[in-house]
């Protein structure tokens, strides 16, 4: 028959088993040595990676070529050329006038017309047009008179 | 912890701090030198660009020397005003007109509110008379004076005896260096 004393013993046994054996040793030289080694190795790896990154960064910066942005000089050669041509033409004309090689003022050329006979189509008498004096086609400033006789 | 371990821990901590300090200082120096290098490179690039621009301008100036000399000759100088008027008056004998200079003044250079500078102008006005052909020829002569100019007024009138009278006003651009 299980008594209450036995049950207590069993419970105490179980509780002691959960607590485990208390570690009375403060330092574990081997474990901490390897922990230190692992941390050091990690730091070395991280440092190496960081140094390599820095090296690559600056090496790439060095390899980059300097971009030279050259400002274009605004020189309108075509405009200059055409302007010089215009003034060269003016100079020629100027010299031509001074050299007396220029023609006189252009005069409009008069055109002559030949009279055309027109046959009368009406039975009524057509008034005769008499121009006195005869017209001069080149404008000489002389007024022209015309009279209409029946 | 015994005394030896304690000493060892202190020494290890000092070593770690010194190493970390050296490492951080080295990192700081590397970054500083990197920034300096980038700035120097940028400065060198700007200087090289300026040098290239200078060379371009220099070669352009060299190649356009004749053009610039020709363009310069298209602008009358203030000192040449009298000789210019003398030449204009001398030409009347060749063409056959009688000429009177009725205006001769200089409009000084002005700068507007936008900072655009207008060059100084030589304002001249002539009255001349002669036959129709002579007046026309002289007008053509004035029109073709090989200087940069603007004719602001031209008027003709035919008087008695087939005598033509003309009035011309011009603005010649004065050269400024």
């Amino acid at each position: 028959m299980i008594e209450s004393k036995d049950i207590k013993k069993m419970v105490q046994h179980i509780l002691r088993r959960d607590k485990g054996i208390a570690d009375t040793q403060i330092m574990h030289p081997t474990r901490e040595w390897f922990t230190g080694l692992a941390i050091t190795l990690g730091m070395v790896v991280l440092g190496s990676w960081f140094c390599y990154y820095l090296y690559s960064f600056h090496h790439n910066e060095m390899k980059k070529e300097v971009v030279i942005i050259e400002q274009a000089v605004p020189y309108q050669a075509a405009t200059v050329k055409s302007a010089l041509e215009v003034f060269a033409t003016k100079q020629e004309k100027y010299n031509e006038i001074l050299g007396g090689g220029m023609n006189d003022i252009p005069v409009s050329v008069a055109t002559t017309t030949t009279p055309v006979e027109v046959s009368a189509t009406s039975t009524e008498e057509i008034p005769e047009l008499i121009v006195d004096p005869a017209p001069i086609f080149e404008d000489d400033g002389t007024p022209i008179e015309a009279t209409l006789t029946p | 912890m015994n005394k030896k371990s304690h000493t060892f821990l202190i020494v290890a901590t000092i070593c770690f701090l010194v190493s970390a300090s050296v490492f951080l200082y080295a990192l700081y120096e590397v970054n500083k030198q990197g920034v300096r290098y980038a700035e120097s490179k940028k400065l060198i690039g700007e200087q090289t660009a300026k040098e290239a621009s200078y060379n371009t301008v220099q070669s352009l100036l060299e190649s356009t020397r004749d053009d610039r000399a020709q363009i310069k000759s298209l602008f009358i100088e203030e000192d040449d005003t009298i000789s210019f008027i003398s030449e204009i008056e001398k030409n009347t004998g060749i063409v056959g007109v009688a000429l009177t200079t009725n205006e001769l003044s200089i409009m000084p250079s002005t700068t507007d509110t936008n900072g655009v500078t207008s060059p100084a102008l030589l304002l001249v006005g002539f009255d001349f008379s002669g036959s129709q052909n002579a007046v026309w020829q002289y007008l053509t002569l004035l029109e073709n004076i090989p200087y940069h100019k603007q004719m602001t007024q031209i008027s003709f009138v035919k008087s008695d005896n087939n005598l033509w009278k003309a009035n011309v006003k011009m603005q010649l651009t004065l050269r400024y260096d």
Side-chain angles (χ1 to χ4, degrees), chain A residues 45-124:
Chain A
V45 170
L46 269 176
S48 302
W49 174 83
F50 187 69
C51 289
Y52 176 73
Y53 167 76
L54 269 183
Y55 168 78
S56 304
F57 177 77
H58 291 297
H59 188 66
N60 289 337
E61 283 289 312
M62 281 176 72
K63 279 206 296 189
K64 274 185 191 170
E65 287 185 7
V66 181
V67 181
I68 299 170
I69 304 166
E70 196 177 329
Q71 288 184 340
V73 182
Y75 182 71
Q76 299 173 342
T79 309
V80 171
K81 192 181 172 189
S82 63
L84 288 176
E85 281 172 1
V86 166
F87 277 94
T89 312
K90 279 177 183 277
Q91 180 78 57
E92 280 176 19
K93 189 92 174 169
Y94 185 78
N95 294 336
E96 188 186 334
I97 296 167
L98 290 181
M102 189 182 171
N103 295 326
D104 288 345
I105 185 169
V107 180
S108 59
V109 180
T111 55
T112 55
T113 53
T114 52
V116 180
E117 281 188 16
V118 181
S119 58
T121 54
S122 170
T123 53
E124 292 179 6

